[in-house]
Amino acid sequence: MADKDLKTKWNLTPGGWNLEGVPAYQDEKRFTQVGRSVPRVDGPVKVKGEAVYTGDMILPGMVYGKIKRSTYAHAIIKKIDYSKALELPGVLAVITGEEAPNKWGIVPQAANETVLAIGKVRFYGEGVAAVAAVDEETAEAALELIEVEYEPLPVLLDPFESMARAGEVLIHEDSPKNILHEGEQVYGDIDKAFAECEYVLEREFHTNYPQHGFLEPQTALASYDPQSGQMHLWASTQIPHYLHRQLSIVLEIPMNKIRVTLPAIGGGFGGKGEASIAEFVASLLSRKIGRPVSVTFERNEVFFTNKGRHPCHMKVKMGLDKEGYIKAIDFDNTLDKGAYSGWGMVVLFYTASMLHLPYEVPNVRFRGRSVYTNKPSTGAMRGLGGVQPRWALECIMDELAEVMGISPYELKMKNAIESSHTCINNMFVPHSEYKKCLETAVEKSGFLEKHGKLPFGKGIGIAGGYYISGTAYTLYQNYKPHTSVMIRVDTEAGVTLMCAAADIGQGCNTVMAQMVAEELGVHYEDVHVQSGDTEIGAFDLGSFASRLTYASGAAIKMACVEINQKIKETAAGMLGVRADQLVLKNREVYSMYETKKRIPWEKVVEAYTSINGSLVGLGNFSPPRRKGIDIVTGNRVQGANIGHSPTFGFSAQVHEVEVDVETGRIYVKKVTEAGDCGTPVNPMSVDGQVEGSIMFNLGACLYEDQKLDANGKHLNPNFHDYKTPTTMEMPEMDTNIVESYDHTAPFGVKETGEGAVQPTFPAITNAIYDAIGVRFYNLPITPEMVLKALKEKKAVEASSK
Amino acid sequence: MKKLIELDINGRLYEVAVNDRDLLLDVIRKKAGLFGTKKGCGEGDCGACTVLIDGKPELACLKLAIACQGKKITTVEGLIQEGGALHPIQQAFVDHGAVQCGFCTPGMIMSAKGLLDRNPKPTLYDIKHELSGNICRCTGYKRIIEAVQAAAEVWSKEGVK
Ligand code: FES
Ligand code: FES
C-alpha cells in the first residue's frame, strides 16, 4: 500500500492528526502497519518452489535414516537381531531402544516414551530399531533384514475396556489402572443448583480419532560434529525450545551444545507440537556415525505416530433456570490417550477449563480421566481440549433451547459473557466481543428467518466458541519469560528481529514484521525476521496454544521502547526539539507540535550508529499468572489454572447444510462466521486462518477418523482411506472480523488460529438436526449413520401413526 | 541396473542414471535438484508432487522416470518469467493469500496451470473439480480458488506463455 493510502485509510492529516482532532500518536488504535492486509513475506519463495523445507536440504556427506516399526500393537520384544542388516553394503549403523533409554515427553512429569521401544511395544507402528545408510533404498532394504521376535499381549483399544481389564493387562507398569491421570474439579454447589433448575438435560457424546494431516511429513536433519561435540538439528517442528530441551535429555548433551533450526515448515496444527521420533533418530544416528543424517517420515509413519485429537467419551448434564440462564454443568469425560502420555494431564484439564466459557456458568463439576490404550498416542490438535466439550455443550444448548421453545441464538445471547468477566475457576477474560460475533453471524446468514423453516433435508445450525491466546504456564516448572526477542537496528541490516518463534505456515513472520514496523515507525518491508532458531533467536516457547501474536507482540513492544528512546534522543539533537515531543511514523521522526521539524528515520539511525554502533533492544513477555481456585470458596482446585490466558478470542458460526436423504451424504453449503480476534494484524491472514479452521473441522466432523482392526493394526494410514476434505467439499464461506480491541493486549490483539475451529462440529450437527430432525451424538457423522437414523425415524413415525 | 536416460525438465535436458523402478518425483528432486516439487504422500493421494507432462498435470510420485523420456516435463521452477518475474498464477497466489505453509502450493499451482492452459475461462466448478486432487490442510481452499480465478482473468486479458 502506498503512503498516501495509509494516510487516507486512517484519516490522518499530513501532520499526523486525525480528523477528530486527536493527535494520531495519542490514539493507540491508529496503526499504519498493523491492521492491514499485506502479502506474506514468504509468499514469493513458496510459490516459486524455492522455499527450503527440511526435506529439501542436502549437507555434504549426508546419509539417510529409516525406522523399523512394530507389527504388533501390544507385545513383549523378545529379541532384535540386526546382524544381517549391518552386513548389507551401504549400511552405516543400526540402533535400538537401549541406545537412548531416557524418556521423552513434552510434559516432563509424565514423560514415558523412549525413542525406540525398549522391552515392549505399546502400539502398532511403534519404532523398534533404526538404520543409517548411504541412501534411502539401502536403509529400507536393511529394515527388512532386521528380525524382531515378539510375544503378543492382549490388545486394549477401548478406554473402558482398558480400565476394566487393568487387573489383567497393564500398558504401563507404573499406571496400575491403565489411567494416566484422573481428576475432579468442583465449583459451587452442583446438586443444589440442579435441584433449582427448570430445565435439565443429560446426554452422552462420543468423538472420533482424527489426525492433523499436515502436508509435510515430519522431517529432521541432524549434523553432529564429534570434534566440538556440537549437535545441529534442522527439524519441521512447532516447538524449537521444547524439542531442544527434550533432545538434551535424551542425548545427554547440554542444551548449549545443541542448536535447533527451523527451515520452512509444512504445517503442524499441533502435531508438530511434540518432538518426533524422526528428530531423535536422526540425532542419535548422526552422533553414532559422525555424519549428517536425514530422516523423513513416509505418510503412513505420520499416521502411526499420530498425536492427533483425543477421542472423548463425554457425559454432559446442563441445567437452566426458568429464564434460561445456565445454572450448572456436570461433565464427565473419558479421554482415549493412546499408548503414551505426551501432553499428559494438560489435555484432560483443558477439557475441564472449556466448560467455563463463553457463557457464564456459576456451578460446575468436572470428572475426567485420561486412559491408556494400545493405539497411536493422541496429543495436541488444533483447538486442543476445546473442540470435544464445545461440541457437546453447544449441541446440548441447541436441544435445551428447543425444549424451552426459544431460538438457540437467544439462549446463547442470554448467557454469553462480556468483557471483564471472572469465571468461577478464577479465569479472567479482560475483553469479549462474543455477543457481537453471535449477532453478526446471525444477521449475515439470516439464521432467524431460516431456522426451523427450511424444507426437509435442508437445515441451518448455530454454535459459538472461544480459545485462549497463550497459556499462563510453561509445561515444566519454570519462571523465565515465555518469549524473548532481540531487535537490532543499524545501517547494515536495517531492522532485524531475532527470535525463536516458529512460523509453521500460519504467517507469524509477517505479523511480527508488521508489529515491529508499527512500533518503530517504519514499514513492514523494512523488517527482517530471523526466527525459528535457538541459537540466533532469543528464547521462545513455540507455536502452540495460539500464543504467538500476543506474546511476541508484547515482547516486541518492550524491545522497541529502548530503541525508540535512543532514536528520539538522537533526533532531538538533530532537530533541536525535545525528545519526548517526537513521533516515529512512516519512516520519519517529527515533532508532534512543529510538524515541519522532521527528519528521515534512517538518517537518525545513521547518526546514532556512527557514534555508538548498532542499536539493540531486548524485550520479553510473561503472561500474568492467576491462581486456579474456586472463587466462591477460595479453595485451590487441581488443574484449574490450565486454560488461564492473558486474553481470549471468540467465534460464532452458522452452517447451512443439505442432506441427501437417498445417499445419506451431508453437504455443508454455506458457512457464515464472525470472529473476535482483537486487532487483526493482517486481516487477510486472519481470514485464511478462519477459513482453514472451518475446513479442518468440517473434515473431522464428517469424514476423518483413524481406524484400527481388532489387533490394533492401522487400517487407513494414508490419504486415500483417511478422507480429508477437498475443494469439492468446500462450502461458500463468509468470514467476518468483528470490531474488537483489547486494551490490555499489545496492539489490542488476540488469537485467531484455534478459536474458529471450536464452533464447527456443533454448528454442523445442529444444522443436520434442523434438516432431518435427527440429533447425532457420535462423530464423524457418516452417510451410513444418516441413512440408519432416517430409517429408524421412519419406523418410529410409522408405528406411532 | 542403472540406465542413463535424458529427461527434458523445464526445457533443459538432464542426463540421469536411473533404475527401472525410479519414480519421476525422486529423480526431479534428488537427481535434477529441483526441490520445488513436494512429496506429501508418495502414493498418489495428495497432489503435492503435481507436474506437467506434455502440458498435462500428472502425479510425479506415480510416474516411472524412464517412461518420461522424450516428454516435456514442467515443474514449478519452470514457470518463472523473464527477469525472475512471477507467473500470473504465482502472483495471484501471493496477492490473494493463497499460501500458508506452502507445501501444497507448487502442486496446486501446477494443477491450476494445467487447467488454464486447457481452459482459460474456467467456471468455479471447473476450478474446484481440477484442484480436487490436491489436498491443502491450511487454507480451506477459498483463497486458492480465488487466486486461480484472478489468474484466469489476467490470462484472458493479457495472454500468457
Ligand atoms: S506425493 Fe504424489 S500425490 Fe502425494
Ligand atoms: S498451504 Fe499448507 S497445505 Fe496448503
Side-chain angles (χ1 to χ4, degrees):
Chain A
M1 213 183 285
D3 295 1
K4 172 168 90 1
D5 298 337
L6 289 179
K7 279 176 190 147
T8 51
K9 181 168 179 204
W10 300 105
N11 280 339
L12 296 192
T13 65
W17 292 68
N18 71 40
L19 298 181
E20 293 98 64
V22 180
Y25 56 85
Q26 284 182 0
D27 183 345
E28 59 176 16
K29 287 191 238 179
R30 252 164 235 282
F31 301 125
T32 66
Q33 300 301 308
V34 159
R36 41 189 289 235
S37 287
V38 302
R40 295 169 55 121
V41 292
D42 54 354
V45 289
K46 284 180 171 171
V47 298
K48 286 190 281 187
E50 289 173 8
V52 178
Y53 298 79
T54 311
D56 302 334
M57 293 181 63
I58 292 180
L59 293 182
M62 185 179 98
V63 300
Y64 296 85
K66 287 270 172 198
I67 297 161
K68 170 96 178 168
R69 294 186 175 278
S70 154
T71 47
Y72 287 88
H74 200 191
I76 308 275
I77 302 173
K78 301 212 61 169
K79 201 170 113 194
I80 302 181
D81 180 357
Y82 53 81
S83 51
K84 282 190 206 132
L86 269 181
E87 280 162 23
L88 187 73
V91 171
L92 301 165
V94 180
I95 56 170
T96 58
E98 285 74 18
E99 189 93 9
N102 293 353
K103 308 255 167 71
W104 66 277
I106 191 159
V107 180
Q109 307 89 295
N112 67 353
E113 193 160 2
T114 51
V115 175
L116 298 164
I118 300 177
K120 159 164 157 163
V121 292
R122 295 177 175 86
F123 66 92
Y124 178 91
E126 182 166 4
V128 291
V131 171
V134 290
D135 53 36
E136 279 175 293
E137 296 69 30
T138 310
E140 262 157 32
L143 294 186
E144 298 297 313
L145 298 174
I146 299 176
E147 287 161 18
V148 189
E149 217 176 283
Y150 296 99
E151 180 187 317
L153 294 168
V155 174
L156 302 173
L157 296 175
D158 171 78
F160 297 100
E161 188 194 352
S162 180
M163 289 187 285
R165 293 180 63 191
E168 168 204 344
V169 195
L170 280 186
I171 295 175
H172 293 276
E173 290 305 317
D174 58 355
S175 299
K177 296 197 272 180
N178 281 337
I179 293 175
L180 156 67
H181 194 81
E182 54 191 327
E184 182 177 61
Q185 296 182 349
V186 183
Y187 306 95
D189 189 338
I190 190 98
D191 297 323
K192 182 161 163 269
F194 274 120
E196 288 165 9
C197 282
E198 180 80 14
Y199 307 95
V200 177
L201 260 188
E202 203 172 343
R203 292 285 181 264
E204 273 190 41
F205 294 85
H206 306 273
T207 62
N208 49 334
Y209 187 41
Q211 212 265 348
H212 324 79
F214 36 77
L215 215 54
E216 177 207 25
Q218 283 98 338
T219 305
L221 167 57
S223 178
Y224 181 73
D225 175 17
Q227 280 65 48
S228 63
Q230 183 84 31
M231 177 72 77
H232 194 169
L233 181 76
W234 291 264
S236 66
T237 181
Q238 298 176 221
I239 41 148
H241 166 68
Y242 282 110
L243 168 59
H244 192 190
R245 198 167 175 274
Q246 292 172 80
L247 274 175
S248 170
I249 294 168
V250 167
L251 299 172
E252 298 180 346
I253 299 179
M255 283 177 82
N256 60 23
K257 288 275 189 191
I258 302 174
R259 173 179 179 190
V260 177
T261 302
L262 274 59
I265 309 288
F269 315 111
K272 294 173 183 169
E274 282 184 66
S276 141
I277 296 294
E279 290 146 1
F280 297 119
V281 164
S283 305
L284 288 165
L285 287 172
S286 177
R287 181 167 66 180
K288 191 154 187 131
I289 62 177
R291 287 169 73 168
V293 177
S294 165
V295 176
T296 301
F297 278 180
E298 298 294 336
R299 179 53 57 184
N300 62 7
E301 298 182 278
V302 177
F303 281 101
F304 294 155
T305 50
N306 189 27
K307 309 283 186 185
R309 200 173 274 151
H310 293 61
C312 285
H313 305 277
M314 303 172 283
K315 284 190 202 142
V316 190
K317 186 170 161 191
M318 188 185 267
L320 311 179
D321 70 6
K322 256 203 315 294
E323 278 87 52
Y325 290 103
I326 301 173
K327 286 293 145 200
I329 295 178
D330 192 4
F331 187 88
D332 184 282
N333 193 4
T334 302
L335 294 88
D336 189 342
K337 186 71 219 63
Y340 291 97
S341 78
W343 287 84
M345 66 175 78
V346 173
V347 183
L348 173 75
F349 284 123
Y350 260 107
T351 69
S353 169
M354 294 294 154
L355 307 173
H356 299 277
L357 287 174
Y359 308 105
E360 175 143 14
V361 189
N363 300 282
V364 174
R365 180 167 65 191
F366 168 85
R367 280 185 287 206
R369 57 216 67 81
S370 191
V371 183
Y372 288 118
T373 54
N374 293 117
K375 285 175 167 165
S377 310
T378 48
M381 180 160 153
R382 205 170 199 170
L384 172 151
V387 169
Q388 304 94 325
R390 188 85 272 126
W391 176 56
L393 293 166
E394 296 287 316
C395 286
I396 211 167
M397 282 177 83
D398 208 68
E399 273 192 71
L400 278 164
E402 191 184 15
V403 173
M404 282 185 71
I406 63 170
S407 152
Y409 168 63
E410 195 187 325
L411 183 60
K412 288 177 210 298
M413 285 296 281
K414 190 172 252 186
N415 287 286
I417 59 123
E418 294 182 347
S419 298
S420 297
H421 174 75
T422 306
C423 306
I424 189 150
N425 69 344
N426 202 28
M427 196 151 79
F428 179 69
V429 183
H431 181 259
S432 163
E433 298 293 356
Y434 179 48
K435 286 189 173 171
K436 220 190 269 174
C437 296
L438 287 167
E439 277 165 9
T440 309
V442 160
E443 210 167 278
K444 294 209 67 180
S445 62
F447 175 82
L448 294 175
E449 296 75 55
K450 295 178 187 164
H451 186 240
K453 304 185 187 87
L454 297 171
F456 188 78
K458 287 188 190 216
I460 189 165
I462 184 172
Y466 80 98
Y467 210 62
I468 50 175
S469 305
T471 69
Y473 294 84
T474 44
L475 291 171
Y476 58 96
Q477 201 59 16
N478 202 300
Y479 296 91
K480 68 180 159 191
H482 293 196
T483 292
S484 307
V485 302
M486 253 181 303
I487 299 175
R488 164 187 155 189
V489 174
D490 55 30
T491 45
E492 280 60 43
V495 181
T496 311
L497 169 72
M498 284 171 274
C499 64
D503 195 331
I504 56 170
Q506 84 280 42
C508 70
N509 283 358
T510 309
V511 160
M512 290 191 298
Q514 288 178 270
M515 294 192 296
V516 172
E518 183 66 52
E519 223 30 38
L520 292 181
V522 297
H523 291 183
Y524 93 104
E525 299 92 322
D526 303 338
V527 180
H528 307 283
V529 177
Q530 292 287 343
S531 65
D533 190 300
T534 57
E535 200 164 286
I536 296 175
F539 179 83
D540 187 276
L541 283 179
S543 289
F544 57 92
S546 291
R547 56 181 294 278
L548 263 187
T549 308
Y550 192 111
S552 301
I556 284 168
K557 265 186 160 293
M558 183 176 163
C560 289
V561 169
E562 211 175 321
I563 295 172
N564 285 345
Q565 185 55 34
K566 290 186 175 143
I567 292 281
K568 282 182 185 175
E569 280 163 12
T570 309
M574 296 168 86
L575 291 168
V577 296
R578 278 172 49 172
D580 62 358
Q581 292 173 357
L582 288 173
V583 180
L584 311 172
K585 226 167 196 76
N586 265 325
R587 297 175 175 151
E588 280 192 305
V589 185
Y590 57 86
S591 157
M592 63 178 80
Y593 301 120
E594 306 162 83
T595 52
K596 282 208 188 92
K597 293 206 167 162
R598 50 178 64 229
I599 183 167
W601 183 83
E602 232 177 48
K603 285 265 168 276
V604 184
V605 171
E606 202 181 306
Y608 178 90
T609 48
S610 307
I611 305 164
N612 307 291
S614 295
L615 183 47
V616 175
L618 297 174
N620 59 59
F621 171 69
S622 297
R625 287 167 171 252
R626 292 169 67 86
K627 286 199 175 108
I629 53 170
D630 176 338
I631 58 167
V632 179
T633 60
N635 292 341
R636 250 185 193 288
V637 179
Q638 192 210 14
N641 51 7
I642 288 177
H644 287 198
S645 168
T647 192
F648 298 84
F650 297 87
S651 169
Q653 282 171 28
V654 172
H655 284 236
E656 292 170 62
V657 304
E658 266 176 50
V659 181
D660 182 332
V661 292
E662 299 298 321
T663 63
R665 281 206 63 161
I666 297 156
Y667 300 92
V668 180
K669 297 304 249 185
K670 187 173 176 198
V671 182
T672 310
E673 192 269 357
D676 164 13
C677 64
T679 301
V681 179
N682 187 346
M684 182 161 78
S685 277
V686 169
D687 285 334
Q689 283 294 309
V690 173
E691 290 150 10
S693 293
I694 292 169
M695 281 305 273
F696 198 78
N697 259 8
L698 185 151
C701 185
L702 299 177
Y703 318 111
E704 298 175 33
D705 202 9
Q706 296 179 90
K707 296 280 184 200
L708 308 177
D709 73 8
N711 297 319
K713 180 178 173 195
H714 206 302
L715 293 175
N716 56 349
N718 56 65
F719 282 142
H720 188 76
D721 301 312
Y722 181 93
K723 302 256 183 244
T724 64
T726 72
T727 45
M728 298 308 280
E729 284 75 47
M730 188 195 86
E732 184 187 337
M733 287 191 265
D734 174 18
T735 61
N736 302 277
I737 302 172
V738 305
E739 170 123 16
S740 166
Y741 189 88
D742 180 352
H743 284 273
T744 65
F747 309 100
V749 301
K750 301 179 177 186
E751 69 82 32
T752 191
E754 296 186 273
V757 297
Q758 308 291 341
T760 306
F761 283 1
I764 294 176
T765 313
N766 292 337
I768 296 171
Y769 174 72
D770 190 49
I772 59 170
V774 180
R775 293 204 183 266
F776 288 95
Y777 303 99
N778 289 281
L779 293 176
I781 306 169
T782 61
E784 297 74 44
M785 283 161 64
V786 171
L787 289 179
K788 185 162 166 264
L790 283 173
K791 210 165 132 196
E792 284 167 8
K793 190 172 175 241
K794 238 191 211 154
V796 171
E797 281 166 1
S799 70
S800 67
K801 258 181 211 152
Chain B
M1 267 301 276
K2 294 216 185 229
K3 278 197 207 91
L4 212 53
I5 63 164
E6 265 189 355
L7 289 181
D8 174 347
I9 310 178
N10 303 328
R12 175 177 154 191
L13 284 182
Y14 289 82
E15 197 171 80
V16 287
V18 298
N19 281 322
D20 286 354
R21 294 175 298 117
D22 280 354
L23 298 168
L24 180 62
L25 174 61
D26 294 329
V27 173
I28 288 174
R29 286 177 58 84
K30 288 190 207 148
K31 306 223 160 124
L34 297 168
F35 288 101
T37 308
K38 300 294 177 214
K39 177 176 167 184
C41 69
E43 304 170 307
D45 297 324
C46 77
C49 64
T50 307
V51 298
L52 300 182
I53 301 182
D54 287 341
K56 244 185 85 204
E58 301 266 10
L59 299 174
C61 73
L62 295 184
K63 281 268 155 200
L64 292 176
I66 44 162
C68 299
Q69 295 176 84
K71 303 197 167 162
K72 280 195 164 320
I73 302 160
T74 312
T75 69
V76 70
E77 289 90 345
L79 295 191
I80 211 75
Q81 309 283 292
E82 228 166 277
L86 297 181
H87 184 281
I89 303 178
Q90 294 174 318
Q91 188 66 52
F93 267 62
V94 174
D95 294 344
H96 287 262
V99 182
Q100 287 189 28
C101 82
F103 209 75
C104 70
T105 307
M108 282 286 181
I109 289 177
M110 297 318 284
S111 288
K113 168 91 162 74
L115 169 69
L116 296 186
D117 278 338
R118 219 172 49 240
N119 174 6
K121 287 192 176 149
T123 61
L124 174 64
Y125 179 83
D126 293 339
I127 298 174
K128 281 188 166 190
H129 192 260
E130 184 76 23
L131 298 184
S132 65
N134 293 73
I135 295 175
C136 173
R137 286 295 267 177
C138 299
T139 64
Y141 302 111
K142 184 179 169 193
R143 275 154 211 284
I144 292 177
I145 290 167
E146 282 170 7
V148 178
Q149 285 172 324
E153 225 159 82
V154 176
W155 204 289
S156 51
K157 268 199 218 116
E158 298 168 15
V160 191
K161 286 168 264 168

